[in-house]
Amino acid sequence: MASRFQGVDFYDMDGLLSEEERAVRDTVRDWVDAELMPVIAEHYLAGKFPKALVPRMAELGFFGANLPEEYGCAGLNNVAYGLIMQELERGDSGVRSFASVQGALVMYPIYAFGSEDQKKSYLPRLASGELIGCFGLTEPDYGSNPGGMITVAKETADGWVLNGAKMWITNGSTAQVAIVWAKTAGLDDIASIRGFIVPTDAKGFTAKDQKGKLSLRASDTSELVLEDVRVPKDALLPRSGGLKSPLMCLTQARYGIAWGAIGAAMACYDEAVSYAKNRVMFGRPIGGFQIQQVRLAEMLTEITKAQLLCLQLGRLKDRGTATPQQVSLAKRNNVDMATECAREARRLLGANGILAEYQSMRHMANLESVYTYEGTHDVHSLILGQEITGISAFS
Amino acid sequence: MKIAVCIKRVPDSETRVKIAADGLSLDEAGVKFILNPYDEFAVEEALRRKEQAGTGEVMVLSLGPAAAQETIRTALAMGADRGVLLQADRVPADGLAVARALAAELKDGGFDLILCGKIAIDDSNHQVGPMVAELLGLPCVTAVSKLEIAGSTATAEREVEGGVEVVEFPLPAVITADKGLNEPRLPALKGIMAAKKKPLDVKPFQGAAAGIDVLKMTLPPERQAGKIVGEGAAAVPELVRLLREEAKVL
């Protein structure tokens, strides 16, 4: 019966959601209020992922929720899945990132490119949180250009040997299983990129936390090193092939990020509105001053636009017609708007805005990572530029 | 163990309510409705009893508009097995009319235990649970904050003024749930999906003539701004005078 986060709903978005979509949203919202909000600030300050929350998140069905029930998942549609991401990121981008990686970057590739045996073996254990996964695509020298990767997998008589290094890997040091992308032929052969399910306790596999982060502090980010890591033949995801496969995973994750950013923006807006109404300066609430009203009006406008954008994208995805470029537009727009909302909310809060007791600066710092990962804002501009003109800026 | 839970769809306690143009009801536009929080304790307790027994059925029953199906599905998503809605355009203001309809539906169900919330947070009547018990000729224990069942006997704790009252009673019985009875679970996402496939019977509410009518609804008056009498010890005499003469609280 504790007070529940009310969200932002200026255009009756609720009226566009089904009963079950609203019910899913409310479960996640209530869970965030009850279990994440009380502990997030201390974890953020300590630079620790709140790992103790994983079993409850799994029990409630937050991981891979849009994958089928036969693999232990909730079998939700993509709008409900997006709402989960929105609500988790209303708590913290790091916790949403955890769920994104587990669902969209580990469970999804196993579901999309794995054998039936792999799906049956891994998906229920990932859904239940028994296994935590990570996704190794980005390398120290290959971020926006993943096709340039130099991690290689050589086929042997009884399996594969992997060599290389991966960087900026969310959940890297926590995971029991890593989806590692490697070239199986020459370094200039992008078509030879395949995915592998690599146990993180394999000999030659090391994961080291990246220290000194000023963003996503409640999330583990690691460097993975693979030195003659031997895996059996059935570690290969048989239906993966070429750079397109990991990019398909990223499209799934970016879709969730577009929704997640709305959650972060909502949290900041909510905090800003409440602060503006209560903080008195020059004898009246600061919400009565035009400059703060403009700030709040901008935030509300951008959040509302982002909500409608994501909802239609989700409906297209459920229809099976959403394109990666449409996902790029949503990720680019929504993360950018959330970054702006967080910054403006932080400013509205004045000096209090720099404290961890309030949320806005934590979201502001988090969103700088979200702005940069899963295709930077600029890269998504170029993806759209190519879509518009037919001319690639990358080659 | 066969358990029935009576639940009600009520406006979210966070909602700012407005009175409709007829002056007799709430304007439902933009209002979020929820499962009455005390009924949530009742649903949770029923689920725990069934889980503890390892067998049985939890049926949820509600009287309300068609939209109350969503409220029933919330209980189904938490884990209840089936639902029944007695559909009425408007819930009667007379608790007895509601209790009669619920009791008629529950009468031949063979329930070992009937649970209700101790109060609905919208009309705050505290009536329906005890009335259902009376109509069914069953023992009734209200505002239960702890329940133990051993065979066909139950023990309940009630928080009364300044202490705790412990009562014993035979089953079947009606109890109304208070805060503290348990911590209701959130509906898991799989539960939400499963709820769509569980049986939910909708029957028309056949109401008897109401004994009570609502004549008027008004919002409480806006609170007046406070008065700052002064600062420091010098202001105390004036404050005492005002508390005595104006506020008349001393």
Side-chain angles (χ1 to χ4, degrees), chain A residues 19-20 22 26-27 60, chain B residues 14 32 70 73 187 189 196:
Chain A
E19 176 186 320
E20 126 207 354
R22 279 183 281 118
D26 288 347
T27 283
L60 290 169
Chain B
E14 303 278 332
K32 185 179 163 71
E70 182 170 349
R73 269 191 292 272
L189 307 192
K196 293 195 296 185

Side-chain angles (χ1 to χ4, degrees), chain A residues 323-334:
Chain A
T323 66
Q325 292 78 12
Q326 288 169 333
V327 175
S328 282
L329 188 151
K331 191 271 180 185
R332 179 180 182 275
N333 180 77
N334 288 11

Side-chain angles (χ1 to χ4, degrees), chain A residues 2-193:
Chain A
S3 129
R4 166 194 268 182
F5 179 70
Q6 293 296 296
V8 179
D9 190 5
F10 197 63
Y11 264 42
D12 189 24
M13 262 277 284
D14 267 20
L16 298 173
L17 300 176
S18 71
E19 176 186 320
E20 126 207 354
E21 288 161 355
R22 279 183 281 118
V24 166
R25 190 261 326 268
D26 288 347
T27 283
V28 188
R29 184 170 283 181
D30 290 349
W31 177 81
V32 168
D33 275 337
E35 297 187 35
L36 178 55
M37 295 314 288
V39 303
I40 188 58
E42 62 190 79
H43 280 83
Y44 192 89
L45 288 175
K48 283 198 162 62
F49 171 68
K51 199 174 172 183
L53 300 179
V54 171
R56 277 289 283 154
M57 293 170 76
E59 190 188 324
L60 290 169
F62 296 174
F63 302 141
N66 55 346
L67 299 178
E69 290 166 68
E70 58 178 305
Y71 300 117
C73 305
L76 301 180
N77 70 13
N78 285 293
V79 171
Y81 172 83
L83 289 164
I84 298 173
M85 298 299 134
Q86 171 189 295
E87 293 305 317
L88 289 178
E89 192 147 355
R90 196 266 298 182
D92 189 76
S93 303
V95 175
R96 197 272 304 139
S97 294
F98 180 92
S100 279
V101 168
Q102 183 86 347
L105 296 182
V106 178
M107 296 172 73
Y108 171 79
I110 293 173
Y111 172 71
F113 311 123
S115 67
E116 198 53 40
D117 282 349
Q118 287 169 332
K119 291 190 223 182
K120 288 216 167 86
S121 160
Y122 286 102
L123 292 179
R125 287 189 289 158
L126 287 158
S128 72
E130 182 191 335
L131 288 180
I132 292 172
C134 68
F135 178 86
L137 174 68
T138 298
E139 301 188 356
D141 294 324
Y142 299 94
S144 292
N145 175 24
M149 69 170 65
I150 54 172
T151 296
V152 291
K154 281 217 166 67
E155 195 161 10
T156 62
D158 56 351
W160 298 85
V161 182
L162 281 82
N163 277 289
K166 300 289 181 182
M167 203 150 177
W168 307 113
I169 309 306
T170 301
N171 304 353
S173 59
T174 328
Q176 289 86 31
V177 52
I179 303 294
V180 175
W181 298 90
K183 284 178 179 160
T184 56
L187 285 184
D188 53 357
D189 185 358
I190 288 178
S192 79
I193 294 174

Side-chain angles (χ1 to χ4, degrees), chain B residues 114-134:
Chain B
I114 295 169
L115 288 147
C116 308
K118 74 162 182 181
I119 182 175
I121 62 165
D122 55 353
D123 59 22
S124 300
N125 270 340
H126 292 85
Q127 290 181 352
V128 170
M131 284 176 169
V132 165
E134 185 66 22

